[in-house]
Amino acid sequence: MLATTLALFSSIVSFAPILQSSAPGITGSAGAALAVGLAALGAGIAERGIGAAAVGAVAEDDEMFGRGLIFTVLPETLVILALVTIFVV
């Protein structure tokens, strides 16, 4: 995780001369793709923990299936909202 963060930061720093020019450093479609990609990454990280907890809860009590399913689907709504925002803008 730390290595990924450092790699991302170093790639942003390498764009510093581009960002000082008057031309845009990133196009609108690239920014939209980056926004949806980061939203999907965050949702995936959230689902990792929620899914493990939901499976454990269902293993203990079968009546927890509905709650576990709802909590597992909640992070996906963030990605859907990111896509809707891109299409609206």
Side-chain angles (χ1 to χ4, degrees), residues 4-5 9 11 16-17 19-24 29 44 48 50-51 54-57 61 65 74 78 81-82 86:
T4 306
T5 305
F9 181 72
S11 66
L19 295 177
Q20 292 174 354
S21 69
S22 62
S29 60
R48 177 182 60 186
I50 294 170
V55 168
D61 185 13
F65 178 76
L74 279 176
L78 297 175
L81 288 175
I86 287 172

Side-chain angles (χ1 to χ4, degrees), residues 21-48:
S21 69
S22 62
I26 188 168
T27 62
S29 60
L34 185 64
V36 172
L38 289 175
L41 180 68
I45 291 170
E47 279 189 44
R48 177 182 60 186

Side-chain angles (χ1 to χ4, degrees), residues 47-76:
E47 279 189 44
R48 177 182 60 186
I50 294 170
V55 168
V58 170
E60 294 284 328
D61 185 13
D62 289 337
E63 294 178 3
M64 296 294 288
F65 178 76
R67 290 183 188 168
L69 183 64
I70 290 172
F71 284 135
T72 304
V73 173
L74 279 176
E76 287 296 321

